Amino acid sequence: MTIIDGKQTSATIKEEIRQEVIKIKEGGGKTPSLAVIIVGDDGASRTYVHNKMKSCEQVGFLSTVIEYPESIDEATLMAKIDELNKDAEIDGFIVQLPLPKHIDENKVIEAIDPSKDVDGFHPINLGRMMIGLPAFISATPAGIVDLLERYNIETEGKHCVVLGRSNIVGTPVSVLLSRKSKPGNATVTICHSRTKNINEVCLTADILIVAIGQKEFVTGDMVKEGAVVIDVGMHRVKSDLTKSGWKLYGDVKFDEVAPKCSHITPVPGGVGPMTIVSLMKNTLLAMKRRAAE
Ligand code: GUN
């Protein structure tokens, strides 16, 4: 059984990006610049944003955080998005989700200029990806595909079962893996809350991608011997076992599932670090596209 080391893989890719940025700057090019809008005090969101900023620094990007209180009105947020769309210094930006209930998330996403939508959440980017046109691919699906590629995991002709149908993970990753490309050419089944016999479907998976948002949902009896298991789950639970006072769990019961797998991603240190690297890649791409305009 091989543990897919997302931490190590992401460090390798970050170093590749850092070297490329050095060359761009030496050649007189623009320093890539990412802005992040965060609304409210959600602890997990703050940690994610902190890690995104740290990664920008590591790869040599400029970064800006724009913070708003939970009580912000939609119009103020939309005005800031408009400002960032027009700001020539900013190559890409994201609005950290989730947003407070009184703000319409879809309206916010649709207000972002697709050429700066480095999260790949805008319908234009999702639609372009669907039909195989160049697009910003959202961070988690892109990170999963990178891991499969870097670990030489064959997807062609394999049965890939995706648990979860979110716009951010389940749906786009299912499209990427079924496309006529490499990685790709898999036969994909999407399971969700209304799927009957979910255990039996999972047992047929050569590659099982779990993004169902329930702590330790996948147990040992749901996984075929030799399967590849990718765990997208991230559940922060208060714990006396760690220095930080928090312990992270995935959507997969790792101790039960790992012995049956050919490859598995741990939580933490699997898909998580790869998502940030995908955001860095998209920001670099956004800068290059803007420079080529
Ligand atoms: N919240 C959880 N993951 C993400 C992400 O990838 N992007 C944004 N904007 N918000 C998130």
Side-chain angles (χ1 to χ4, degrees), residues 20 49 61 67 141 146 198 234 246 290:
E20 191 172 345
V49 170
F61 291 0
E67 293 186 58
D146 269 354
I198 207 163
M234 189 96 88
W246 295 93
R290 290 169 62 71

Side-chain angles (χ1 to χ4, degrees), residues 27-97:
K30 182 180 180 301
T31 303
S33 171
L34 174 73
V36 178
I37 300 179
I38 177 166
V39 179
D41 270 330
D42 180 70
S45 288
R46 286 193 167 267
T47 305
Y48 297 149
V49 170
H50 172 79
N51 291 337
K52 288 171 186 176
M53 296 297 109
K54 204 168 99 187
S55 294
C56 280
E57 196 182 324
Q58 287 166 347
V59 298
F61 291 0
L62 295 172
S63 66
T64 316
V65 185
I66 300 143
E67 293 186 58
Y68 288 114
E70 184 91 12
S71 59
I72 188 186
D73 59 289
E74 199 174 273
T76 310
L77 185 57
M78 296 297 265
K80 181 47 100 178
I81 290 173
D82 191 42
E83 189 186 313
L84 293 173
N85 281 340
K86 292 173 180 152
D87 186 340
E89 283 308 308
I90 301 291
D91 296 301
F93 68 97
I94 67 168
V95 181
Q96 187 66 26
L97 303 179

